[in-house]
Amino acid sequence: MNQDTSDDAGVYLIRDDLALIQTVDFFTPIVDDPYYFGQIAAANALSDIFAMGGQVKTALNIVGFPVKQLGAEVLARILQGAQDKVAEAGGVIIGGHSIDDKEPKFGLAVTGIAHPDKIYRNQGAKEADVLVLTKPIGTGIITTGIKKKQDQVPKSQMDEVIHWMSMLNKAASDTLKPYDVHAVTDVTGFGLLGHAFEMIKDADLSLELSLQDVPLISGTRELAEQGYVPGGSKSNLQWLKPHIHFDEELTETDQLILADAVTSGGLLIAMPEKEAEKYTAEMMKNHHFARIIGRFTSKHSKKIFVQC
Ligand code: CO
Ligand code: CO
């Protein structure tokens, strides 16, 4: 099988009817609570399997941790958070590796499976498809705000961002199965605009988005306006700018929000509008989240056009 590094995970064909999907991700703590950090790191690492339409099978822990300074109990909470999420995903953690490390780091190497004909790619969107997003954005800005402002950020805001980051993309992916799906990816470090751009950059397509259609986690705008924007989000906007046409009325803050570096974001799905309407209705009815946020057009400019 050919290697296609811009897809969400590596795919290896075992048989005509069975492909392995493998992915790995780890990072430094994004929240103070070790149990939630473990959950979020796991949900984030598992996400690429769901973005490709796979089933999670096994995972390995990847741990860098200062046991002498922080204690084995903290590490045990991180591992428990991850174990609970992998179990919820339908998989099992079968091992791992840890090293002594001044700064804690945690993540997973994950193996999933899928039928080779049923794997979702980030390419394949068609003209007149709409773009669906299955989690609101803003995690980079909010977690930066929480780190810098500490207890000034209301607990409800903290709970909300943890809720979204620890949520698996399993329901979003499983619900998608019967629908006509043209392309899927997940929103992570390159932000909503960066991952959306991945979907059109090799196709003769443009994408039209409206800021007002993009769901934000509560507090995102307020914190962004106060300047709590991570470096990764700023550099996303820098490299994306040549590929995006922002309406004049959009402020720098608006642009940074759309480019915000996301941890454990939702799926981005390209599908026909009628299908998307049914899919988003089914997701909302089952107390999940999905919203149509844009439309693919064939302006042959490979650009994203963003309106207010
Ligand atoms: Co991905
Ligand atoms: Co189709």
Side-chain angles (χ1 to χ4, degrees):
M1 241 188 153
N2 65 329
Q3 251 198 337
D4 188 350
T5 49
S6 69
D7 247 310
D8 287 290
V11 176
Y12 184 83
L13 190 65
I14 294 191
R15 298 190 311 245
D16 287 347
D17 63 345
L18 181 65
L20 272 190
I21 308 174
Q22 295 189 296
T23 184
V24 57
D25 206 347
F26 61 95
F27 45 65
T28 55
I30 181 160
V31 292
D32 287 340
D33 185 298
Y35 180 74
Y36 288 132
F37 171 50
Q39 285 207 334
I40 292 164
N44 181 72
L46 293 160
S47 176
D48 282 333
I49 305 288
F50 297 124
M52 298 195 80
Q55 278 175 268
V56 171
K57 286 294 169 192
T58 61
L60 300 169
N61 289 317
I62 299 164
V63 183
F65 198 77
V67 180
K68 284 199 194 82
Q69 285 80 12
L70 293 181
E73 179 57 27
V74 173
L75 178 56
R77 295 295 293 155
I78 295 173
L79 297 177
Q80 187 63 51
Q83 190 177 320
D84 290 352
K85 275 290 148 184
V86 172
E88 187 187 330
V92 56
I93 295 179
I94 54 171
H97 185 71
S98 60
I99 58 162
D100 195 57
D101 192 344
K102 274 197 216 97
E103 190 178 26
K105 294 172 191 76
F106 180 72
L108 298 173
V110 187
T111 298
I113 57 165
H115 192 289
D117 302 338
K118 304 270 166 68
I119 290 175
Y120 302 139
R121 305 279 175 179
N122 58 10
Q123 300 296 306
K126 294 187 171 76
E127 183 179 357
D129 276 354
V130 294
L131 183 66
V132 174
L133 176 66
T134 68
K135 287 185 192 180
I137 62 167
T139 68
I141 289 163
I142 295 177
T143 54
T144 300
I146 289 172
K147 260 183 217 152
K148 302 225 169 115
K149 294 180 82 172
Q150 296 291 340
D151 42 4
Q152 293 172 56
V153 174
K155 176 149 188 320
S156 61
Q157 238 170 60
M158 188 106 141
D159 290 346
E160 190 185 339
V161 74
I162 288 173
H163 164 80
W164 289 114
M165 290 191 295
S166 60
M167 178 186 288
L168 292 178
N169 282 326
K170 183 179 191 330
S173 179
D174 289 352
T175 305
L176 209 46
K177 293 279 147 66
Y179 290 92
D180 180 18
V181 178
H182 293 162
V184 183
T185 190
D186 59 346
V187 182
T188 51
F190 295 142
L192 171 62
L193 289 179
H195 292 281
F197 178 63
E198 287 282 324
M199 300 177 90
I200 59 165
K201 73 173 202 289
D202 297 323
D204 274 340
L205 287 173
S206 300
L207 175 66
E208 293 174 0
L209 296 176
S210 286
L211 176 67
Q212 61 179 6
D213 295 332
V214 176
L216 304 182
I217 302 171
S218 330
T220 302
R221 173 161 296 280
E222 291 71 18
L223 289 166
E225 277 165 358
Q226 293 163 33
Y228 297 106
V229 177
S233 308
K234 290 176 188 162
S235 54
N236 281 344
L237 185 58
Q238 277 313 311
W239 73 262
L240 281 162
K241 263 190 173 161
H243 308 294
I244 297 175
H245 183 273
F246 289 106
D247 193 284
E248 287 154 15
E249 283 165 52
L250 291 171
T251 62
E252 180 83 6
T253 301
D254 295 330
Q255 300 179 18
L256 285 165
I257 288 170
L258 293 170
D260 186 38
V262 169
T263 298
S264 191
L267 299 185
L268 272 179
I269 306 153
M271 61 201 299
E273 187 169 17
K274 285 243 156 58
E275 291 287 282
E277 281 166 0
K278 282 187 228 154
Y279 170 74
T280 52
E282 183 179 350
M283 285 286 284
M284 298 306 280
K285 191 186 76 186
N286 294 327
H287 309 289
H288 303 303
F289 182 89
R291 188 184 289 178
I292 297 172
I293 62 161
R295 181 179 300 276
F296 294 89
T297 59
S298 87
K299 281 190 178 153
H300 301 283
S301 64
K302 306 182 187 196
K303 273 202 176 205
I304 301 179
F305 294 83
V306 188
Q307 298 175 321
C308 285

